[in-house]
Amino acid sequence: MADLLPPLLRGLWLTLQITAGAAVLAVPAALLAGLGRLSRRPYLSWPAACYVEVFRGTSALVQLFWVYYVLPLLGLRLPALWAGILVLGLHTGAYGAEIVRGAIAGVPRGQAEAAIALNMTPRATLWRVLLPQAVGLMLPPAGNLLIELLKNTALVSLITITDLTFSAQLLRSETFRTVEVFSLVLVMYFVVAQALNGGMRLLERRASRHRGRA
């Protein structure tokens, strides 16, 4: 099957680029939206809630089609690669926002009360007390979300991006070796997912040791 690997590896490289780009966008989007939903100020909480509900309540595929096919009709055209990264990043960030919100809410209330008793400002309480403890709670579900993002990159094959899935479809149509092609693709996705899972487990252990020292 060595003759099948080069085009699939090129597609895998593009898939990894999309995954990394979307993850870089999803992290700040999740953090800002999660903190916004916890805010008592309506001008912060309402936009955050709208963003989360719209992107969680609609299909990622429809979002992808809307950005790539509808926005050009409104005068804004994005390259397919950037459209894929934007949609998958914002879609993943909407789910990540709930992880951030739940993790911060899961920190014992006494921690915030102790910070207030020490005359710490709300901002200092958030960044120096609550968030460092919430990170350990965020990492396990964030790892699952990152793997889900990897699998969702297959959607970009529908907007002409030659990712791993699209490369496999082209190769199958050229060689008619369906079993070999999609078996290799299955293995590639699995290996990358396990690598991501291992990286997140490493971060979890480091966060646990930091929390223990604190």
Side-chain angles (χ1 to χ4, degrees):
M1 293 191 290
D3 57 322
L4 301 177
L5 281 175
L8 292 180
L9 290 175
R10 288 193 293 269
L12 176 62
W13 172 239
L14 194 53
T15 291
L16 294 177
Q17 292 181 62
I18 296 171
T19 302
V24 168
L25 176 60
V27 170
L31 185 61
L32 292 174
L35 295 176
R37 297 207 71 177
L38 290 170
S39 176
R40 297 180 180 179
R41 300 170 182 174
Y43 62 85
L44 293 177
S45 60
W46 277 92
C50 290
Y51 157 65
V52 170
E53 296 306 326
V54 167
F55 276 88
R56 287 201 313 161
T58 56
S59 166
L61 180 58
V62 175
Q63 295 165 15
L64 195 62
F65 283 167
W66 201 91
V67 168
Y68 188 67
Y69 293 113
V70 177
L71 282 186
L73 302 178
L74 304 178
L76 179 59
R77 182 179 298 275
L78 293 176
L81 179 63
W82 289 106
I85 290 173
L86 177 65
V87 170
L88 292 179
L90 293 177
H91 184 82
T92 304
Y95 284 91
E98 290 301 287
I99 293 175
V100 172
R101 184 180 66 84
I104 294 176
V107 176
R109 187 177 181 84
Q111 299 290 321
E113 294 174 350
I116 294 172
L118 293 173
N119 204 28
M120 295 179 68
T121 64
R123 180 176 298 179
T125 299
L126 174 64
W127 290 100
R128 299 182 62 182
V129 177
L130 299 181
L131 271 179
Q133 297 183 69
V135 166
L137 301 175
M138 295 178 196
L139 288 177
N144 292 334
L145 196 57
L146 183 59
I147 293 174
E148 192 66 26
L149 169 61
L150 169 68
K151 294 186 290 185
N152 282 341
T153 58
L155 297 175
V156 302
S157 64
L158 300 175
I159 58 169
T160 71
I161 297 179
T162 315
D163 70 319
L164 179 55
T165 299
F166 192 64
S167 298
Q169 292 172 345
L170 291 177
L171 201 57
R172 182 194 62 82
S173 65
E174 293 171 359
T175 64
F176 300 102
R177 296 165 66 180
T178 304
V179 174
E180 295 96 325
V181 169
F182 284 105
S183 295
L184 281 173
V185 171
L186 195 68
V187 170
M188 287 180 176
Y189 274 116
F190 178 77
V191 169
V192 175
Q194 292 307 303
L196 293 176
N197 187 49
M200 294 303 294
R201 291 288 178 84
L202 180 61
L203 289 177
E204 288 175 35
R205 288 196 293 270
R206 293 188 63 179
S208 297
R209 288 198 298 268
H210 176 75
R211 190 165 60 248
R213 290 196 302 269

